[in-house]
Amino acid sequence: MTATLEAPVAVQAEARPVPGRWLGLFAILTATLLNLLDASIVNVALPVIQGDIGGSYAALQWIAASYTLALAAGLLIGGRLGDMFGRKRMLLIGATGFVAASLLCALAFSPETLIAARVAQGLFGAVMIPQGFGLIRDLFPGPDQAKAWGVMGPAIGLASILGPIVAGLLIKLDLFGTDWRMIFAINLPLGAFTIVAGLKALPSSRGDRSGGLDVTGALIGATGMGLLVYPLVQGREQGWPMWIWAVLAGSIAVLAGFVIHQLRRSALGKTPLVQLSVFARRSYTSGVVFVIAFFIAIIGFSLALGFLLQLGLHYSPIGASVAMATMAVGAFIGSAGGGMLAPALGRKILHIGLVVMTAGMGGVYLVFRTAGVELGGWHLAAPLLVFGIGMGMIFVPLFGIIMGEIADHEVGSASGALESIQQLAAALGVAVLGTVFFDRFTVPGEPAANALAGAEQVTLIAAGLALLAIVIGFFLPKQARTDH
């Protein structure tokens, strides 16, 4: 999931409809779907990819995490590029680069080339994605925005977890003998639609280049994120030597340097990447912790479940997709319900969603303990449906609630930082909980039993993170912002 909020603008009393606005909206929606699908589409395909081009278990984690890590780093300046050079222009540049990187992913011949192409995907995605929501405001001025969000909200909720199902179907169809490579090649026609429709229907703007672009800050932030994730992925295979811990400690120092750089830039009157004043608000800082806990939990849990089904129980990609399908159904139901109930319930909708989600994970854990290695997809159907409903209830209202007490002039910076932190949390979910799974899976013994034990451990940790989020949720604003 990637969402954003921007500073409100004055609404004219009689805003006129923009010609071709629905075509423009679908161009933005397709760009958003490209990002959401690619954030999770490899999860089911990872064992098949390993069987084709090789790679260690750490390489599998990097194939999954490299995209979201690069996206997190790139988002530090992605929105600012749209402000400076025009949102339409940057969305089209991002979409073109995303398509090219997707082609490189489809042509990858080794884990290293695939990881490099995934990094390129993430960086171009960071240029493309932040532009969409500002463009929606331009296409649908005033009250008409509700119509656009009525389309976007459920689509975002569904696409956020649809990746594994799409991957399973594409691998099963094996179009043109492409096997797993079609999960990336499918981006070519989707991206082409975004580019053509965007050229025709999206409004142009010149942008404002005053304030400059903090490239140095972006590089410092990206370095800090990379140093944080790298040892968490590589540590297990390296045996956790001292240098791994030194790198981890170094990440904290570099991220502290990023904060110092932002403070100095603000003191010089230059535009920082992040208005650090937003972190002085307890509600926003609590929201950051909430986002980290929530996304580590759902990404790590979903990844471990897919590994259990394929690496441990030898499900095919389509078999694993079918076994996890009720999670997607539940997320769609939950997203629709969360969007409708959030205005009346406020932050209570987050608590309800977390309780339902945790109950679903509890049900999955009971299935693991009772069915053991004999579990089938039908054992998982009900608890994954419950998990998906709870997860989906949180997706749509989450960012709006976290931003509830942010001042208007801080909204752009606060939402951009939150998006970046969300993607970093997704990468950490792969790194941390993926490592927990493989740490148990690779010990001597029966692979199925080891995979089950690893999935049980990840499920308990994810449930614990959800319980932490329940507590943190009480420090969030009671109501969401009413502007997008």
Side-chain angles (χ1 to χ4, degrees):
M1 170 188 161
T2 302
T4 187
L5 291 164
E6 300 183 20
V9 293
V11 177
Q12 297 178 355
E14 295 182 2
R16 296 182 179 180
V18 178
R21 59 180 182 170
W22 288 105
L23 179 61
L25 176 65
F26 282 106
I28 296 166
L29 178 58
T30 305
T32 304
L33 294 180
L34 284 171
N35 164 58
L36 294 173
L37 289 174
D38 271 73
S40 60
I41 201 167
V42 300
N43 291 357
V44 163
L46 287 172
V48 180
I49 293 173
Q50 184 186 43
D52 184 25
I53 61 176
S56 64
Y57 290 130
L60 296 188
Q61 289 175 265
W62 277 119
I63 292 169
S66 55
Y67 176 82
T68 51
L69 180 59
L71 185 63
L75 282 171
L76 290 174
I77 61 171
R80 179 68 182 144
L81 289 172
D83 293 337
M84 293 179 65
F85 301 103
R87 293 190 179 102
K88 175 181 178 178
R89 177 183 299 171
M90 299 316 300
L91 184 143
L92 294 176
I93 290 174
T96 302
F98 194 95
V99 169
S102 297
L103 179 60
L104 293 177
C105 287
L107 298 175
F109 54 85
S110 68
E112 292 77 16
T113 55
L114 180 54
I115 291 168
R118 289 279 285 167
V119 169
Q121 271 191 317
L123 292 176
F124 280 110
V127 175
M128 174 177 66
I129 296 305
Q131 321 311 332
F133 296 91
L135 286 168
I136 288 176
R137 258 200 344 219
D138 296 337
L139 289 169
F140 293 84
D144 280 355
Q145 271 187 46
K147 299 177 182 178
W149 288 105
V151 174
M152 290 286 289
I156 288 173
L158 180 60
S160 297
I161 44 76
L162 202 57
I165 296 174
V166 173
L169 289 173
L170 291 174
I171 294 171
K172 174 66 175 179
L173 292 173
D174 192 21
L175 299 171
F176 313 110
T178 53
D179 196 31
W180 61 269
R181 298 176 188 274
M182 185 52 69
I183 69 173
F184 299 111
I186 193 65
N187 291 342
L188 274 61
L190 293 175
F193 171 79
T194 296
I195 295 167
V196 173
L199 282 169
K200 181 177 178 61
L202 292 178
S204 298
S205 61
R206 297 183 61 181
D208 179 6
R209 303 184 189 184
S210 62
L213 182 64
D214 185 10
V215 176
T216 300
L219 291 175
I220 296 172
T223 301
M225 293 179 191
L227 292 176
L228 177 62
V229 174
Y230 180 83
L232 296 174
V233 173
Q234 294 295 140
R236 183 191 60 81
E237 290 194 353
Q238 298 292 332
W240 300 104
M242 186 59 66
W243 68 266
I244 283 286
W245 296 105
V247 172
L248 195 60
S251 71
I252 299 173
V254 173
L255 291 172
F258 173 78
V259 173
I260 294 171
H261 177 77
Q262 295 301 291
L263 290 172
R264 287 178 176 173
R265 191 171 175 86
S266 295
L268 293 172
K270 298 180 180 179
T271 304
L273 294 174
V274 180
Q275 293 284 354
L276 295 177
S277 60
V278 300
F279 290 93
R281 300 178 186 275
R282 187 184 69 174
S283 60
Y284 183 81
T285 305
S286 300
V288 168
V289 177
F290 187 104
V291 164
I292 292 172
F294 176 69
F295 281 94
I296 288 178
I298 64 172
I299 298 299
F301 172 75
S302 301
L303 187 72
L305 183 58
F307 282 149
L308 165 65
L309 294 174
Q310 292 191 78
L311 296 177
L313 304 182
H314 304 294
Y315 278 50
S316 66
I318 188 62
S321 297
V322 171
M324 299 168 66
T326 56
M327 183 163 58
V329 174
F332 182 76
I333 296 171
S335 294
M340 289 187 294
L341 295 174
L345 296 178
R347 74 181 182 195
K348 291 179 182 178
I349 193 67
L350 303 182
H351 286 113
I352 294 171
L354 285 168
V355 169
V356 173
M357 190 178 90
T358 305
M361 285 191 284
V364 171
Y365 183 79
L366 288 177
V367 167
F368 289 160
R369 300 296 295 175
T370 55
V373 296
E374 301 300 323
L375 73 87
W378 63 273
H379 288 106
L380 296 169
L384 286 182
L385 177 67
V386 174
F387 171 83
I389 290 172
M391 177 177 64
M393 292 175 74
I394 298 169
F395 276 162
V396 174
L398 175 58
F399 274 30
I401 290 173
I402 292 174
M403 303 288 288
E405 296 178 358
I406 295 298
D408 290 348
H409 70 279
E410 297 174 324
V411 169
S413 178
S415 61
L418 202 58
E419 287 181 86
S420 185
I421 290 167
Q422 173 207 316
Q423 297 301 332
L424 178 60
L428 288 172
V430 175
V432 176
L433 297 190
T435 296
V436 169
F437 176 86
F438 284 121
D439 189 56
R440 188 66 185 86
F441 178 65
T442 54
V443 301
E446 172 60 33
N450 289 345
L452 183 64
E456 288 176 354
Q457 291 179 6
V458 169
T459 301
L460 289 176
I461 294 172
L465 289 170
L467 293 175
L468 171 64
I470 290 175
V471 176
I472 296 298
F474 288 105
F475 297 96
L476 300 182
K478 293 183 178 181
Q479 292 292 333
R481 293 185 67 92
T482 56
D483 61 281
H484 290 286

